[in-house]
Amino acid sequence: QVQLVESGGGLVQAGGSLRLSCAASGRTFGSYAMGWFRQAPGKEREFVASISWSSLTTYYADSVKGRFTTSRDNAKNTVYLQMSSLKPEDTAVYYCAARSSGMANRASPSYDYWGQGTQVTVSS
């Protein structure tokens, strides 16, 4: 089994920055693509960012392009989401996810494993 544990969420003011981390178990982390998704109150879960196993491919939702950056350190079994210029509409529970194919993907059903989520709240 693969376990994913997010950290780094919290309360920040609009315009601020926050870095989320997701620590993964498993011998094959380096072959997994990783994704970030979020779910705001009353809304469906939406795609945020994804990164391929090699870090050569990244995808971002239009709403976060230029503000968020995802990266990974395979030696540490960790993926990151650096968030800057945060807006109140970024408020959500953020989830990391892993898929075994290694290819970055925007579709949540393509992911095999999910973390527990971490709350990000951006005040106006």
Side-chain angles (χ1 to χ4, degrees):
Q1 60 181 7
V2 174
Q3 293 179 313
L4 305 173
V5 180
E6 298 108 326
S7 62
L11 174 64
V12 298
Q13 292 185 335
S17 298
L18 206 60
R19 188 177 77 157
L20 306 184
S21 299
C22 178
S25 68
R27 298 176 180 176
T28 57
F29 173 80
S31 69
Y32 296 163
M34 300 295 294
W36 290 96
F37 297 81
R38 67 188 183 187
Q39 188 167 22
K43 295 186 177 181
E44 297 296 320
R45 183 173 57 194
E46 66 175 343
F47 168 76
V48 176
S50 184
I51 185 167
S52 65
W53 72 271
S54 64
S55 298
L56 293 177
T57 302
T58 54
Y59 297 142
Y60 296 95
D62 288 344
S63 59
V64 306
K65 281 182 180 177
R67 300 189 299 119
F68 291 11
T69 302
T70 189
S71 60
R72 66 192 295 164
D73 186 339
N74 288 349
K76 296 181 178 179
N77 278 17
T78 302
V79 64
Y80 305 95
L81 184 67
Q82 178 66 51
M83 306 183 293
S84 61
S85 301
L86 283 162
K87 305 174 181 179
E89 49 263 47
D90 295 317
T91 295
V93 177
Y94 283 71
Y95 300 89
C96 68
R99 66 189 304 256
S100 60
S101 79
M103 294 186 292
N105 196 288
R106 298 177 177 90
S108 60
S110 71
Y111 287 82
D112 303 301
Y113 307 100
W114 293 82
Q116 82 288 352
T118 186
Q119 177 71 47
V120 172
T121 302
V122 184
S123 62
S124 60

